[in-house]
Amino acid sequence: MIQIQWLLPPQPLTSPLSHHHRTLLFPQRRRSPPHHHSSTLTSTSFPKKYFTFRPYNCAISNNVTEDSKESVKVRAYPFHEIEHKWQKFWDQNRTFRTPDDEIDTSKPKYYVLDMFPYPSGAGLHVGHPLGYTATDILARFKRMQGFNVLHPMGWDAFGLPAEQYAIETGTHPKITTLKNIDRFRTQLKSLGFSYDWDREISTTEPDYYKWTQWIFLQLLKRGLAYQAEVPVNWCPALGTVLANEEVVDGVSERGGHPVIRKPMKQWMLKITAYADRLLEDLEDLDWPESIKEMQRNWIGKSQGAEVDFRVLSSDNQETDAKITVYTTRPDTIFGATYLVLAPEHPLLSSVVSDAQQNIVEEYKEVASRKSDLERTELQKEKSGVFSGCYARNPVNGEAIPIWVADYVLGNYGTGAIMAVPAHDSRDHEFAKKYDIPIHWVVTSDECCDDFEKPFSGEGDVINSSSSKTGLDINGLRSKEAAKEVIEWVEKTGNGNRKVNYKLRDWLFARQRYWGEPIPVVFLDESGETIPIPETELPLTLPELDDFTPTGTGDPPLSKAVSWVKTVESSSGKPAKRETNTMPQWAGSCWYYLRFMDPKNSTQLVDKKKEMYWGPVDVYVGGAEHAVLHLLYSRFWHKVLYDIGVVSTKEPFKCVINQGIILGEVQYMACKDQDGNFVSAEFLDALGEHKQERIPDENVTKSGNSFVLKDDPSIRLIARAHKMSKSRGNVVNPDDVVAEYGADSLRLYEMFMGPLRDSKTWNTSGIEGVHRFLGRSWRLIVGSPLSDGTYENQTVTVDENPSLEQLKALHRCIDKVTDEIEATRFNTGISAMMEFINSAYKWDKLPKSIIEPFVLLLSPYAPHMAEELWFRLGHSTSLAYEPFPKANPAYLQDTTITLPVQINGKTRGTVQVEVSCTEDDAFKLASLDQKLSKYLDGKTVKKRVYVPGKILNVILERENTKVGSR
């Protein structure tokens, strides 16, 4: 005989959910769902094996004795069978396939896209599905609203990690990449995402990168791709050029190898030609303002002047050499007390004195090992060396020293600045450190100026006139003074008006094997660059066994000698192929277009399809791609717009940056040098100390802090970090799905908080939403049978719903709809939890109420919703069922809660109709059990009634103490 014992539910969440959420997850009143007759299933396409499972928190034993009991923990609902079943169904039936040629373009479209993932060997962690779940909810929701939905997935699969793994293991990067893609695909499918897998693409497939190469050729034709010798971040160990973002503290982000700056001939893309359009078109985009501001700052448009400073000889005479600086503040030129050249400035060698030659060379060597980001970091201590030479300030004739400092970049502006330490914080810090004069030339509008700190604002110009040059701007406001200075330098031949940009042309070459080949050849006899014919695309990668760096700076492709040696097609002349490859950014710049028409072998994208699907309606990804990826994509899109390939000026209408999911909170205790625990509040006074990680079970909460359980006087440091293998805090979604199911993971990631906020993972927190799904399942399907299995049906009834049930449903519909549209998914879940709490109080569950609720649940928990829909008697997927619409008639409250005061003190409330009269309100108050004890036997002196607001009953004075307790 099998005995089943229903165990106590787990304790409430310890995760930092709101009180409101805890109330929803753990309502005070718990009732088993009622048993009523069930609906008849209309399909028998699924075998009964899908329904043989046991309930969660259930102990099952055979031959139970006092001495021996066997118990097995089972699940809250049969997700392990449901999810596999419906994933298989969706796959086999291609449920989410978006028709290609036969699509009905009279219907509205909705293109929702995730940022292209790089398929790393580590696979997904629980932070990745956050954005994917959000886009999936939107995609499912819009399908049910009648939209044609494009929701594809693919792989940004070229790049350095696969190549490095190939070097370390000898495994071809293509093998590694395909293996990683298979793992990612399996993981994504296990989470029930409704991608159209028929449109899957990979940047590494020749059919795809044929069109990446084609775009490069269009750039080349229009002079937007060119070669130039530029200083680059060269990593000898990796054998490649690195982007600034790939260099941290002078070493490569991957592997920690030393990086140096050295000039190399590289392919460049002229993104600067589109700077103004990239800036102007930001205004019409529905993007986070912070992202748009980051792009504005990266483009960095400024208006000012270029001014020439003549280099002086050793006897203080002007030479033919001049240093041109760019300044946005010409009004401060009288305050320029020194010049600064970038270490890579082309004139530097000619303006260094013999005495300073070795010092300057040493400084240049040190600077060459730093990235541009490191050099311009505001917090870093400024460094520099004196060149030994001077230049003349043209506006006052003063000789000022020429310094060399790495906070000035050779590729920004002119590679030289006029330093005004009184009015620039970096210049001020530098001047203080090296004892350089500081001259104040602008005074603020405040009554008292602090001449100990730099003032970078605008104001009245002072100390700015010269009888030698005839320029006098004293007393002018900054803007007026700037105009005067610009006019003067143009008139005297000392400079000109100038618009400048921080944006630099895009370095578009990598010394790697695993990347798109660049489709050009160089003639042997002349070195002339010739593009290969478009008919010969794709130019495919040759097979190589040795991917290691050459050590000479030549890319690994140079080892493919027979591939490199070729002939130019039109002339038949001997030539060599380009051996650099494109950077990883290339393939991800335009993939959103290929998803519109992935099988087209004759065009990048069909014109009609692009006009229908473009632009992307919602694009979701991490904020780390806010500048480079989005900026490069916008650049390429504008070029394609100019040549007629696309019909829109921008690729992405709306961009959403999901927050980061941090690893679980870790607790650290501080120890002094003797090994004794020290409370965290004394950390500043402790000096040198060690930290020790404390296991969760040894920690307890005290007020707003966490302390040692055995010694509450020791406060701990509680901190969550970004998930990484090195910290050991990565949570694998496969493990979560195995224990709780994909729907629980999806629901928890949406319930943790607003999509755009960063959140801390708490594995115990998932139990709450898992119980909610279990309660929803048992409400609709019914309690388990004696053997732990469930009936193949539901407990709904074909009866008309009550007004209370209709109101509960339509309030839920209204809330869930609004919250999905606004991507406030967490509060949408809260609304469904409130509905379930209400439904557990009903005696009957009308099918006409439960079916719409299942449809509401489906974008969030699609596996359970599909199974419930099937059990409710439907033979087809609910994926294209109309999403429920709220009836406004059921959203209006006909009753209100009216506060009742006795002698001005609130004693209780009563439920009244909105149109309730004063007499009716008083009658209801008199009948209320709590209020009647204050009114029985008392004489009412006066009643004050504000309809819909309050009822105040004033009793005769002699009776005011009667009824007090």
Side-chain angles (χ1 to χ4, degrees), residues 245-263:
E245 298 72 32
E246 297 172 309
V247 182
V248 180
D249 296 329
V251 298
S252 62
E253 185 180 34
R254 180 175 177 83
H257 304 295
V259 175
I260 61 172
R261 297 281 287 179
K262 78 176 206 175

Side-chain angles (χ1 to χ4, degrees), residues 18-28 30 751 768 771-772 775 826-838:
S18 68
H19 172 74
H20 175 61
H21 284 170
R22 289 197 300 270
T23 304
L24 294 174
L25 292 173
F26 310 103
Q28 296 298 312
R30 294 177 180 271
F751 194 55
R771 279 194 292 276
F772 160 69
R775 295 183 76 235
N826 55 323
T827 47
I829 297 170
S830 297
M832 290 187 284
M833 290 176 171
E834 289 174 351
F835 175 85
I836 289 296
N837 288 343
S838 298

Side-chain angles (χ1 to χ4, degrees), residues 703-752:
N704 293 325
S705 303
F706 292 91
V707 298
L708 279 177
K709 187 178 290 185
D710 295 339
D711 186 356
S713 68
I714 303 299
R715 200 178 87 194
L716 305 175
I717 299 171
R719 187 175 298 155
H721 299 274
K722 189 174 180 179
M723 290 188 184
S724 67
K725 288 191 292 185
S726 61
R727 288 191 179 274
N729 64 348
V730 173
V731 179
N732 189 331
D734 298 350
D735 299 333
V736 179
V737 169
E739 186 168 357
Y740 297 101
D743 284 344
S744 293
L745 176 60
R746 291 168 60 109
L747 215 62
Y748 176 56
E749 297 218 352
M750 295 298 97
F751 194 55
M752 291 172 76

Side-chain angles (χ1 to χ4, degrees), residues 567-860:
V567 294
E568 195 274 314
S569 300
S570 61
S571 66
K573 294 179 180 179
K576 291 185 175 62
R577 298 193 189 280
E578 171 63 83
T579 54
N580 287 305
T581 53
M582 299 185 194
Q584 186 176 350
W585 300 103
S588 61
C589 277
W590 69 279
Y591 70 102
Y592 58 92
L593 293 172
R594 194 60 178 173
F595 278 137
M596 300 175 186
D597 194 13
K599 308 295 192 237
N600 196 328
S601 61
T602 60
Q603 291 176 281
L604 184 149
V605 61
D606 178 79
K607 189 71 176 176
K608 290 182 179 179
K609 293 176 183 177
E610 183 279 326
M611 291 181 70
Y612 178 71
W613 286 115
V616 175
D617 293 283
V618 175
Y619 193 36
V620 177
E624 65 271 18
H625 302 298
V627 176
L628 298 183
H629 163 61
L630 289 175
L631 199 62
Y632 294 160
S633 291
R634 294 181 63 219
F635 166 45
W636 276 30
H637 191 89
K638 290 181 183 302
V639 174
L640 293 174
Y641 175 78
D642 289 348
I643 64 176
V645 174
V646 298
S647 58
T648 63
K649 292 182 179 180
E650 289 286 338
F652 313 117
K653 186 186 298 183
C654 173
V655 168
I656 297 174
N657 296 131
Q658 83 272 15
I660 296 172
I661 292 185
L662 303 172
E664 296 205 51
V665 174
Q666 297 178 351
Y667 304 99
M668 306 297 292
C670 302
K671 283 187 170 183
D672 61 22
Q673 293 181 345
D674 296 327
N676 302 312
F677 285 122
V678 179
S679 189
E681 63 261 36
F682 304 119
L683 193 59
D684 291 339
L686 185 58
E688 288 190 17
H689 66 282
K690 295 181 180 180
Q691 291 189 359
E692 178 181 312
R693 185 172 176 182
I694 305 298
D696 293 4
E697 59 269 20
N698 296 341
V699 177
T700 188
K701 192 167 186 182
S702 176
N704 293 325
S705 303
F706 292 91
V707 298
L708 279 177
K709 187 178 290 185
D710 295 339
D711 186 356
S713 68
I714 303 299
R715 200 178 87 194
L716 305 175
I717 299 171
R719 187 175 298 155
H721 299 274
K722 189 174 180 179
M723 290 188 184
S724 67
K725 288 191 292 185
S726 61
R727 288 191 179 274
N729 64 348
V730 173
V731 179
N732 189 331
D734 298 350
D735 299 333
V736 179
V737 169
E739 186 168 357
Y740 297 101
D743 284 344
S744 293
L745 176 60
R746 291 168 60 109
L747 215 62
Y748 176 56
E749 297 218 352
M750 295 298 97
F751 194 55
M752 291 172 76
L755 175 64
R756 295 161 178 80
D757 291 357
S758 292
K759 297 162 277 284
T760 301
W761 179 265
N762 186 339
T763 300
S764 63
I766 201 171
E767 294 173 358
V769 292
H770 186 62
R771 279 194 292 276
F772 160 69
L773 290 174
R775 295 183 76 235
S776 301
W777 173 265
R778 293 191 299 276
L779 174 76
I780 299 169
V781 175
S783 298
L785 301 175
S786 59
D787 63 353
T789 62
Y790 289 91
E791 294 281 358
N792 296 353
Q793 54 196 13
T794 68
V795 295
T796 58
V797 296
D798 290 319
E799 295 184 10
N800 291 328
S802 67
L803 180 61
E804 175 195 357
Q805 290 171 329
L806 286 168
K807 283 186 174 182
L809 171 65
H810 285 272
R811 285 172 183 159
C812 187
I813 292 172
D814 184 59
K815 184 70 172 177
V816 171
T817 302
D818 285 350
E819 302 308 80
I820 292 179
E821 291 278 15
T823 64
R824 295 188 295 261
F825 304 114
N826 55 323
T827 47
I829 297 170
S830 297
M832 290 187 284
M833 290 176 171
E834 289 174 351
F835 175 85
I836 289 296
N837 288 343
S838 298
Y840 261 87
K841 301 172 185 176
W842 302 335
D843 293 328
K844 295 181 180 180
L845 295 176
K847 189 175 181 181
S848 61
I849 296 293
I850 296 303
E851 283 192 339
F853 171 75
V854 170
L855 295 176
L856 292 180
L857 182 64
S858 64
Y860 290 88

Side-chain angles (χ1 to χ4, degrees), residues 298 412 458 554 612 909 945:
W298 192 269
Y412 176 64
E458 296 183 349
D554 292 326
Y612 178 71
T909 61
Y945 179 61

